[in-house]
Amino acid sequence: MKSKLEVCIDSISGLEACINGKADRIELCSSLELGGLTPSDELMKLASEVNIPCRVMIRPKKGSFEYSSGDLHQMFDDIDKARSYNFDGVVFGATLLNGELDQEFLGQLIRYSDGIKKTLHRAVDTIPKTIEAVEIAINLGFDTILSSGGYETVMEGLAVLKEMQQRASGRIEIMPGSGINPQNISEILSDCHFAWLHSSCSIHRQNRKITDSQTIKEIKTAINV
């Protein structure tokens, strides 16, 4: 089975690029320059009208992935909004001060988002035991882990991602993300199959990064070679 491409976007132009480039799934955010925050109601509404599966980032603030009880209730509200638009799923993560995943907090979010799919995002790359997080994510009820293997980019963390995939053993999707482009697809998939790949598919234009439909097409072509 050929791998599929999820594209993270934070704008209407990004949504249009995903349509034109035929992305397989969207990760809907705001503020990608901050690593992605919860998208606006307006962007959710527009994305809900597009015939592409979509998972919504649930992240109420920039910075660390340590959250308060107030943050938890804000995230509940944001999950409600995502559910109201019948999106494919939600994306979230949380950590403790000691650098471990906050399993109690994540468990509450998992239970609240019952009935929709759930991705554990790159908070997993900030903890010291990225590989061990696979079992934790499975036990909590996630169906996907988005990760760079604990490194800045997928290419640096590829060995870890392959080990995570072996540990997952089909029980959860390991989705590499960070720095994926048309040139490195073949190396990423050369000796380990990942069902999903994640990329911003962005280019620099007028001193800012924008989602590029041609890059989406080129990555999909590289996947299918």
Side-chain angles (χ1 to χ4, degrees), residues 82-150:
R83 197 194 303 273
S84 73
Y85 287 113
N86 295 314
F87 286 125
D88 179 63
V90 288
V91 182
F92 51 76
T95 58
L96 296 165
L97 281 170
N98 66 5
E100 297 178 355
L101 289 175
D102 189 339
Q103 296 186 54
E104 182 178 348
F105 193 95
L106 290 171
Q108 293 183 76
L109 290 172
I110 289 282
R111 289 188 291 275
Y112 196 82
S113 52
D114 184 53
I116 56 178
K117 295 176 180 177
K118 292 162 277 285
T119 298
L120 173 60
H121 65 43
R122 290 189 62 206
V124 75
D125 292 323
T126 69
I127 65 175
K129 298 180 179 179
T130 305
I131 295 170
E132 286 80 353
V134 172
E135 293 294 339
I136 294 172
I138 292 169
N139 292 335
L140 282 168
F142 287 99
D143 67 273
T144 301
I145 300 174
L146 168 61
S147 176
S148 60

Side-chain angles (χ1 to χ4, degrees), residues 5-100:
L5 176 64
E6 177 183 270
V7 181
C8 54
I9 63 168
D10 63 357
S11 65
I12 295 172
S13 63
L15 194 59
E16 292 170 347
C18 285
I19 296 168
N20 294 333
K22 294 182 170 53
D24 297 301
R25 190 167 71 204
I26 291 169
E27 182 192 74
L28 195 68
C29 310
S30 67
S31 305
L32 280 177
E33 72 277 6
L34 300 176
L37 302 177
T38 304
S40 67
D41 287 354
E42 177 189 16
L43 192 56
M44 282 198 218
K45 182 178 186 301
L46 290 170
S48 71
E49 297 167 357
V50 172
N51 191 30
I52 301 175
C54 182
R55 295 197 182 187
V56 177
M57 175 66 74
I58 307 295
R59 186 184 173 203
K61 64 181 184 181
K62 65 180 181 179
S64 74
F65 301 110
E66 297 150 21
Y67 296 113
S68 67
S69 59
D71 294 327
L72 178 65
H73 290 288
Q74 178 61 57
M75 294 167 88
F76 284 167
D77 288 344
D78 293 336
I79 289 168
D80 284 338
K81 290 175 188 174
R83 197 194 303 273
S84 73
Y85 287 113
N86 295 314
F87 286 125
D88 179 63
V90 288
V91 182
F92 51 76
T95 58
L96 296 165
L97 281 170
N98 66 5
E100 297 178 355

Side-chain angles (χ1 to χ4, degrees), residues 155 178-186 188 198-199 215 218-219 222:
M155 295 309 296
S178 186
I180 290 179
N181 58 53
Q183 289 72 45
N184 59 25
I185 291 294
S186 60
I188 292 168
H198 175 99
S199 175
T215 301
E218 289 176 4
I219 289 178

